[in-house]
Amino acid sequence: MPCLHRNKLQCLQLHQGGSATTTLAGGKGSANGQLRYGITLSNGRQYTQVIDNSGNNAIPGTFSYRSGESGIVSIDGTSGVVTLQDNSHEDVNLEVLVCPSQRSITGGTTAIAANLDPVILGDVDLGSRRGHPFSPCNVGDTRTIEARMNTGGMLLGVQRLRAHLLCLSLLLLSMVMFQL
């Protein structure tokens, strides 16, 4: 195994659908991303892409991976494949570790947002799809909040919708749904 002391990862990013992203979005258990990064070893050898577009590792067995919040985002410890499990209003840290000691490495942590899409009939997703769902606000502030609902192909007509933000949860006061 190459010597990895005093080395730094470069360009640690999460890729989803072939593009770098700071938000893992999609359905629970089905939205996947791949950690990608480069490294320069202490002997001067460079790997601009340790994990390629097909998920192949150029130096297998050298790195492992972990998530700061496994209930939100799970990560395969050997491949670096990240799977969305739940929403989060805070950043989730993903980390690349040096095997076998599970040692942290400079540049080996990146933070992402995690957002579930409404994939089940009747499911509603509130807030932005990219980044954190809600921007910070104070008591009494007024906000426009994106809402996405899985209607199963039915059109949604809303006559009146009111919601109050209570602590970290939303209370839906009223909504009328009909097919046009």
Side-chain angles (χ1 to χ4, degrees):
M1 177 174 17
C3 179
L4 287 174
H5 67 284
R6 291 178 277 159
N7 295 289
K8 181 180 176 184
L9 291 184
Q10 294 108 20
C11 302
L12 177 60
Q13 298 176 322
L14 177 68
H15 284 246
Q16 185 179 25
S19 300
T21 183
T22 56
T23 303
L24 186 60
K28 180 178 183 169
S30 64
N32 293 311
Q34 174 72 59
L35 283 179
R36 296 204 188 133
Y37 52 93
I39 190 166
T40 301
L41 304 177
S42 56
N43 63 6
R45 184 163 184 186
Q46 292 185 339
Y47 293 88
T48 56
Q49 197 172 18
V50 174
I51 298 177
D52 68 18
N53 294 337
S54 300
N56 299 313
N57 192 323
I59 40 180
T62 306
F63 301 102
S64 64
Y65 310 92
R66 74 176 169 207
S67 166
E69 291 289 336
S70 59
I72 305 293
V73 174
S74 60
I75 187 166
D76 183 282
T78 55
S79 70
V81 172
V82 181
T83 303
L84 182 62
Q85 301 297 338
D86 206 346
N87 285 313
S88 180
H89 64 281
E90 297 179 319
D91 282 342
V92 176
N93 287 323
L94 304 176
E95 189 173 14
V96 179
L97 303 164
V98 178
C99 287
S101 64
Q102 302 294 303
R103 182 173 47 86
S104 297
I105 187 168
T106 304
T109 301
T110 189
I112 64 163
N115 289 330
L116 289 175
D117 284 341
V119 294
I120 300 169
L121 180 63
D123 194 10
V124 177
D125 185 56
L126 298 174
S128 175
R129 186 168 193 268
R130 295 285 173 211
H132 296 291
F134 304 103
S135 60
C137 61
N138 297 311
V139 173
D141 285 356
T142 300
R143 292 280 192 264
T144 299
I145 298 173
E146 290 181 44
R148 287 169 301 287
M149 175 181 262
N150 184 335
T151 63
M154 294 177 61
L155 296 177
L156 176 67
V158 177
Q159 291 179 334
R160 186 175 177 200
L161 174 66
R162 286 187 334 159
H164 289 284
L165 185 61
L166 301 175
C167 297
L168 293 177
S169 64
L170 282 176
L171 172 64
L172 182 62
L173 298 179
S174 64
M175 184 170 91
V176 176
M177 190 168 121
F178 58 90
Q179 185 172 6
L180 298 175

